[in-house]
Amino acid sequence: MKGEEAFREREASEIIDRLKPRLRPTLEEIRKAMDAFKEIKAIIEGALNETLKGIDYSVELEGSVAKGTAISGDLDLDIFILLNKKDLNNAWLRESVVEPLVRKFSGITGYGVSLRYASHPYIHLITPSGVEADLVPAYRASSPTEILTPVDRTPFHTRYINEHLSEDLKDEVRLLKKFLKSVGVYGAEIKSEGFSGYLCELLILKYGNFLNLLKGIMKWREPQVVIIDEDVATEASELRKVFKSAPLIVPDPVDPRRNAAASVSRRSLALTMIASYEFLLSPSERFFNPPQVGEDPGTLEEVLHSTGRSSVVVIWRMRCPIPPDVMWGEVKSAGRSLANVLKSRGFVVTDIRFWDIEELCLMAAYIEVFKTFDNYVLRRGPPRLGPELLKFIHKHLNESPVHAWVGYDGTPYAITRVGKSFNDVVSEYVNTHPPKHAEVAIVCNDLGCAISALKEKVGPNAHDILNRFIYWLTEAVLKTPPWLAGGDISTGST
Ligand code: CTP
Ligand code: MG
């Protein structure tokens, strides 16, 4: 690794200074968002004053618009209906709050309404003026120790950030969010398994500005503990024990029992570290506005072939409507199980990645293996002592022409004839283990087929969707993230 002296901080600062004003929402955007909030609030009160007789509640703006950390062009509202009712449960919320509101907004021309339900029921709205809003019912707790569900913490987060984050730092938060979005690791949802808006705010509070944070990230070691508020902090060693499997631990200053970075996966953390290093070494606006690179499927197939890889694309149509977290959770878990099946059959799985068109409830998975030999595969047995190890060795003892053995690392191995081809294993698995909400699955053995299959689903005129699919496939094959380089194709044959 190059030392800090190689970092081009002056150039990085120049880029950052150019970006800051562009990321700041305009007065016009803020006015439009606030007008939408006022209108929605009045409609909610009109509907709930009838159904919630005697229950004290208030409608409040939370999230990045309330904290002043939203990015220009992306002012989505988080509107909370805070109820003073201790015995809240999902069935009651649905019946007394969510469903009356869905009926109310559905009856107003110009509003797009969808009921969303992952672990907590809420509503997604698009107003006639095009503003998007989540309406989230929650319990109005008097302190974070009194909360009933995780969403009840949100008003405390809004208050904490508004009390601690200065105007200057809001620009730094926006830079960080935009950077992480470009890297694909922004958002606590299952889709990104990344950094929430609140976590971005906390990290900027801790490190003082965007560049300092990037330099700080270069020094992070897993499991990394970042303490925001020393007064409520526990010893780092203790925190590592409590939040055992978390690669990043940031105790929430409003409720230190919770890890505010619980959503950040090892993959997201690794990508963030790489992007931080590369940006500091060769600063470029590319890290904030990555170019989209799309190659034709024939060229990509050639690259795959010449670098010893095979891939399969699976497209699922899920039963609509379905909350994104449910759709992503089911498909990611199917992908992980499929990878395990492939590994246990001796395939070297090099990549599994996912893609969605949320509005059409379509999901795709790209599964890639490294080709070893055509007729034989290496199987790895259970590395721990026990009956499974004996079963593995015994099963493969009379395999021809090589017997099973225990390797230098203590792991049992066997070389066996390939039973089913990669494509057959994937097809069989996809057909026998559909995600719960999947309706149809298509398995494509080459990228051209995948593009045609998607075209059939979305129609030939959905150029925007098809292009995004091609960008995704291009990145899957070339592996170079668009923020890193311009996607230079070289098959290695010249
Ligand atoms: N929230 C929630 N349920 C939703 C939407 C939001 O509980 N359906 C809560 C989140 O837990 C978070 C706050 O509302 O504490 C804001 O969420 P989010 O919109 O993800 O983050 P922001 O800070 O608003 O950042 P962004 O600019 O990405 O909107
Ligand atoms: Mg928000």
Side-chain angles (χ1 to χ4, degrees):
M1 197 176 93
K2 294 186 180 139
E4 242 182 70
E5 63 284 359
F7 291 161
R8 285 153 51 186
E9 277 193 66
R10 200 175 45 80
E11 281 166 84
S13 298
E14 281 167 13
I15 290 171
I16 284 170
D17 288 342
R18 272 204 305 275
L19 279 169
K20 276 183 188 170
R22 282 196 245 154
L23 296 177
R24 234 173 267 150
T26 61
L27 285 177
E28 186 46 40
E29 278 181 287
I30 296 171
R31 193 171 313 126
K32 184 174 159 191
M34 292 315 287
D35 285 349
F37 170 63
K38 276 182 220 141
E39 185 176 303
I40 293 169
K41 182 175 161 141
I43 297 171
I44 295 174
E45 286 169 349
L48 294 187
N49 284 351
E50 289 165 30
T51 56
L52 291 184
K53 285 199 183 76
I55 298 171
D56 178 31
Y57 76 93
S58 57
V59 178
E60 286 171 25
L61 185 61
E62 310 286 345
S64 58
V65 177
K67 295 179 283 191
T69 54
I71 294 178
S72 174
D74 201 7
L75 268 69
D76 298 346
L77 301 171
D78 298 288
I79 300 173
F80 273 58
I81 300 153
L82 296 171
L83 297 139
N84 216 349
K85 179 173 161 57
K86 243 202 151 117
D87 53 346
L88 284 182
N89 60 55
N90 280 356
W92 184 88
L93 282 177
R94 217 184 150 118
E95 205 174 293
S96 311
V97 181
V98 171
E99 281 168 4
L101 288 179
V102 169
R103 280 195 296 276
K104 182 78 183 183
F105 281 100
S106 304
I108 305 175
T109 317
Y111 271 93
V113 190
S114 57
L115 168 64
R116 300 221 168 147
Y117 195 102
S119 55
H120 191 90
Y122 69 100
I123 301 165
H124 183 73
L125 277 185
I126 304 182
T127 71
S129 61
V131 176
E132 296 200 32
D134 278 348
L135 310 191
V136 187
Y139 169 59
R140 190 201 290 146
S142 47
S143 91
T145 54
E146 307 279 301
I147 61 161
L148 303 177
T149 68
V151 301
D152 307 338
R153 242 186 236 109
T154 300
F156 298 97
H157 291 163
T158 308
R159 196 177 314 154
Y160 185 85
I161 295 303
N162 281 339
E163 280 168 8
H164 291 82
L165 198 71
S166 66
E167 277 308 309
D168 287 353
L169 292 197
K170 291 177 186 174
D171 277 337
E172 306 289 332
V173 170
R174 278 188 279 268
L175 280 169
L176 174 61
K177 285 187 181 184
K178 183 79 176 149
F179 180 79
L180 296 176
K181 275 181 194 212
S182 304
V183 178
V185 296
Y186 179 74
E189 302 80 21
I190 299 177
K191 174 176 179 166
S192 339
E193 294 179 4
F195 297 70
S196 68
Y198 179 57
L199 179 58
C200 292
E201 289 149 1
L202 293 180
L203 290 173
I204 290 298
L205 275 178
K206 171 75 184 183
Y207 286 88
N209 64 47
F210 174 71
L211 268 189
N212 257 344
L213 170 63
L214 296 200
K215 285 190 275 170
I217 289 175
M218 301 316 315
K219 300 191 180 108
W220 284 3
R221 298 293 176 263
E222 192 183 327
Q224 177 65 38
V225 174
V226 178
I227 306 283
I228 307 298
D229 183 347
E230 300 286 347
D231 293 343
V232 294
T234 323
E235 279 286 311
S237 57
E238 198 52 38
L239 288 164
R240 288 194 182 96
K241 270 189 235 152
V242 177
F243 302 109
K244 251 191 247 87
S245 52
L248 178 64
I249 300 165
V250 183
D252 184 346
V254 311
D255 188 355
R257 300 169 303 171
R258 169 185 178 261
N259 177 13
S263 56
V264 184
S265 68
R266 295 189 61 237
R267 177 174 187 273
S268 298
L269 206 51
L271 284 170
T272 306
M273 195 167 191
I274 297 166
S276 303
Y277 182 59
E278 295 300 331
F279 175 71
L280 290 168
L281 277 184
S282 35
S284 155
E285 267 199 39
R286 213 176 49 233
F287 289 87
F288 299 87
N289 292 305
Q292 304 283 23
V293 182
E295 293 292 342
D296 74 274
T299 312
L300 294 175
E301 284 291 347
E302 227 176 278
V303 176
L304 272 176
H305 183 72
S306 65
T307 47
R309 293 171 293 154
S310 278
S311 71
V312 162
V313 176
V314 184
I315 300 173
W316 286 277
R317 199 179 64 226
M318 310 294 280
R319 221 172 305 133
C320 251
I322 179 171
D325 261 359
V326 174
M327 178 160 97
W328 273 87
E330 284 182 11
V331 170
K332 275 195 170 176
S333 129
R336 266 193 294 270
S337 311
L338 172 57
N340 287 336
V341 169
L342 285 165
K343 277 187 207 156
S344 74
R345 286 181 161 273
F347 293 97
V348 179
V349 180
T350 43
D351 208 354
I352 292 210
R353 50 180 80 196
F354 305 93
W355 185 80
D356 76 331
I357 319 170
E358 194 186 311
E359 61 279 17
L360 298 179
C361 306
L362 283 176
M363 285 286 317
Y366 171 93
I367 305 130
E368 184 190 274
V369 292
F370 198 64
K371 280 191 242 162
T372 43
F373 291 98
D374 286 340
N375 300 326
Y376 289 94
V377 288
L378 176 72
R379 288 181 184 240
R380 212 179 294 259
R384 289 183 177 277
L385 277 189
E388 292 302 314
L389 181 144
L390 294 175
K391 220 162 101 188
F392 178 87
I393 294 283
H394 187 74
K395 183 177 167 198
H396 295 292
L397 257 192
N398 294 319
E399 208 78 54
S400 168
V402 184
H403 283 198
W405 75 100
V406 179
Y408 71 98
D409 55 354
T411 303
Y413 291 97
I415 290 177
T416 67
R417 278 192 172 278
V418 170
K420 290 195 183 93
S421 70
F422 166 51
N423 295 339
D424 288 347
V425 176
V426 175
S427 292
E428 190 181 297
Y429 187 86
V430 167
N431 289 323
T432 51
H433 296 78
K436 194 166 156 220
H437 287 85
E439 262 179 359
V440 181
I442 301 168
V443 180
C444 280
N445 301 340
D446 73 81
L447 305 174
C449 150
I451 293 168
S452 308
L454 187 75
K455 224 181 246 175
E456 213 161 279
K457 291 254 164 289
V458 300
N461 297 326
H463 298 296
D464 182 42
I465 291 177
L466 290 167
N467 281 340
R468 277 195 281 139
F469 189 57
I470 291 169
Y471 301 149
W472 174 69
L473 288 176
T474 303
E475 189 182 335
V477 173
L478 302 183
K479 307 286 185 236
T480 315
W483 42 267
L484 202 52
D488 169 31
I489 288 224
S490 154
T491 58
S493 52
T494 47

